Amino acid sequence: MRILAIDTSTETCSVAIWDQGAVLALSELSPHMHTQRILPMVQQALAASSLTLNQLDVIAFGRGPGSFTGVRVSISIAQGLALGADLMMLGISTLQTMAQGAWRISRATRVLSAIDAKMGEVYLGQFERQKDGSWHESIKEQVLAPTQVLENASVRDGVWYYVGTGWQKYPHLVIGSEWSLLNGNVLFPQAEDMLPLALLAWQQGKAVAVEDAQPTYLRNEVIWKKLSSRI
């Protein structure tokens, strides 16, 4: 099984390859440079793995939520690569990817993911790790005001880990919380953490054709287009 994963949904540009259990990962903090950096990083990763696109089984992409432009770059590049090599695609949630990152780094099994959505809002996801390595979505991914985060989350018992730029942007959410929240040490989604999720999704038959791959914005696309120049 060979998977190429790419993500440009936030300030970080990342690429990773799963080659029959071996993992190669590249990541750069490169805001506003995704279109210039992502393809060279893909080429570098393939070369380092001694693979070609035609040797892959599927391409996974960060489907969002995230910046409008970043999510568009992620899916567009993935579609172009998949079309050229006649490959299927897997869209992976950026919020769930960060939960997986918290598991890799901190062995967190209960995670609150929050990405700064700009415009005074955050993208929120809440996940609990299952025995098969999947993540149960405790609440539906949503965009909301920071003041609503802990109000909407269901974390009234036990220890939860927080990840993402939303907590960095609004630190009072942690400081002012009466619940047990620990830092999961993940700021951005990484393609490396998409790989286990993509492998599981592939085994569950969730791969789609290029034309059926869809991004997840959460925020209305028309509003995003009008305001993307400010973000």
Side-chain angles (χ1 to χ4, degrees), residues 75-154:
I75 187 172
S76 297
I77 294 296
Q79 283 178 316
L81 294 171
L83 186 63
D86 193 25
L87 296 171
M88 301 286 280
M89 297 178 62
L90 288 165
I92 306 297
S93 162
T94 51
L95 294 172
Q96 194 171 130
T97 295
M98 291 192 298
Q100 180 66 33
W103 162 256
R104 174 174 58 86
I105 295 171
S106 306
R107 284 297 182 261
T109 58
R110 308 170 85 190
V111 182
L112 280 169
S113 299
I115 295 175
D116 179 15
K118 312 299 183 182
M119 296 162 15
E121 295 179 315
V122 297
Y123 298 121
L124 176 69
Q126 181 176 345
F127 307 95
E128 296 182 67
R129 186 177 172 85
Q130 308 299 296
K131 291 182 179 180
D132 65 354
S134 65
W135 290 88
H136 171 67
E137 194 175 55
S138 304
I139 59 172
K140 187 177 179 61
E141 295 183 351
Q142 55 195 282
V143 57
L144 71 177
T147 54
Q148 298 175 297
V149 169
L150 295 183
E151 180 181 309
N152 283 35
S154 178

Side-chain angles (χ1 to χ4, degrees), residues 45-80:
L46 288 171
S49 301
S50 300
L51 293 174
T52 65
L53 282 173
N54 290 325
Q55 291 176 293
L56 301 174
D57 292 289
V58 68
I59 295 180
F61 66 97
R63 63 169 171 79
S67 79
F68 178 81
T69 301
V71 172
R72 289 307 308 169
V73 170
S74 184
I75 187 172
S76 297
I77 294 296
Q79 283 178 316

